[in-house]
Amino acid sequence: MRELDPVVNVLFPASGGCIPLEHGYALYGALKQVWPDIQAYAWLQIGPIQPLCRSRGKTVVGRDATLLLRAPVSHLAILFPLAETVHTLDQGELAIGRPIISQLQPSPILYSPFFTVKVHDGGEAFAPWDDLRLSRFVVGVEARLAVAGITQGRAHVDITRPRWLHIKDGGASGYPVAVLGCSDAESLALQSVGLGGRRKMGCGVLVPWVG
């Protein structure tokens, strides 16, 4: 199926001022103005805007920043109306340019800055993780890899950088995750489908690692 309808990178130039560091949910809400049926787009991955930088204690869109979308070639026409639009993320403004389309490229190391674990109710603050919870998290990531048919790639979790994604009155917690030692076929397969949930909110969208 991937050969007949391959998944490709759709890179939209992004510019603007201050936006939330964890902007996945705010961006998802803004894009619903372009695609009211986005919730039904199971084929769509929306990566976080990169790079971001800190300026005077605030998170701002970096120079030459891009918004990465991934989609099968057959759905590209749905994405093009996003070009040359302007959106508000919280109190910051984000301008989107015309996209560049490129093929996925295999890499032995893939990286996602945010892999989600669990949704919490009531706006609960991020709680410290004990060794047992961390162990279960790693097992959960590896289980996802097994379900995806990955036999060579192994997960590495950066436990020094916990993340928290605000979603309505709750949120999702997690960590950055790398998948090491992928074969070319595994790398392309993982990039095509992503890993875990909330892939339309910037979570589990895997990109080649550039060290």
Side-chain angles (χ1 to χ4, degrees), residues 12-15 19-21 23-24 27 46-53 60-62 65-68 89 94-96 202:
F12 287 87
S15 60
I19 65 171
L21 175 62
H23 55 269
L27 178 61
I46 301 176
I49 297 166
Q50 298 285 355
L52 300 177
C53 57
V60 298
V61 179
T66 57
L67 167 61
L68 169 64
L89 271 62
L94 180 71
I96 303 296

Side-chain angles (χ1 to χ4, degrees), residues 94-166:
L94 180 71
I96 303 296
R98 295 183 178 182
I100 297 173
I101 300 169
S102 65
Q103 295 181 335
L104 303 181
Q105 298 297 324
S107 171
I109 304 177
L110 299 176
Y111 176 76
S112 171
F114 199 148
F115 181 87
T116 57
V117 183
K118 183 181 179 181
V119 174
H120 300 277
D121 296 325
E124 175 182 327
F126 192 95
W129 283 44
D130 57 26
D131 290 343
L132 178 59
R133 292 187 70 200
L134 286 171
S135 176
R136 288 175 175 171
F137 175 71
V138 174
V139 168
V141 176
E142 292 176 342
R144 297 274 188 172
L145 291 176
V147 169
I150 305 303
T151 59
Q152 296 186 36
R154 294 292 180 268
H156 171 77
V157 179
D158 184 355
I159 63 173
T160 66
R161 298 173 59 199
R163 309 291 291 267
W164 177 261
L165 176 66
H166 291 281

Side-chain angles (χ1 to χ4, degrees), residues 15-72:
S15 60
C18 299
I19 65 171
L21 175 62
E22 307 296 2
H23 55 269
Y25 183 71
L27 178 61
Y28 176 78
L31 296 184
K32 287 187 73 172
Q33 304 303 312
V34 180
W35 306 307
D37 297 328
I38 189 173
Q39 187 172 357
Y41 296 171
W43 44 267
L44 178 62
Q45 298 181 61
I46 301 176
I49 297 166
Q50 298 285 355
L52 300 177
C53 57
R54 298 289 289 176
S55 176
R56 298 180 180 179
K58 297 181 179 180
T59 303
V60 298
V61 179
R63 179 180 297 179
D64 298 325
T66 57
L67 167 61
L68 169 64
L69 305 186
R70 284 211 181 113

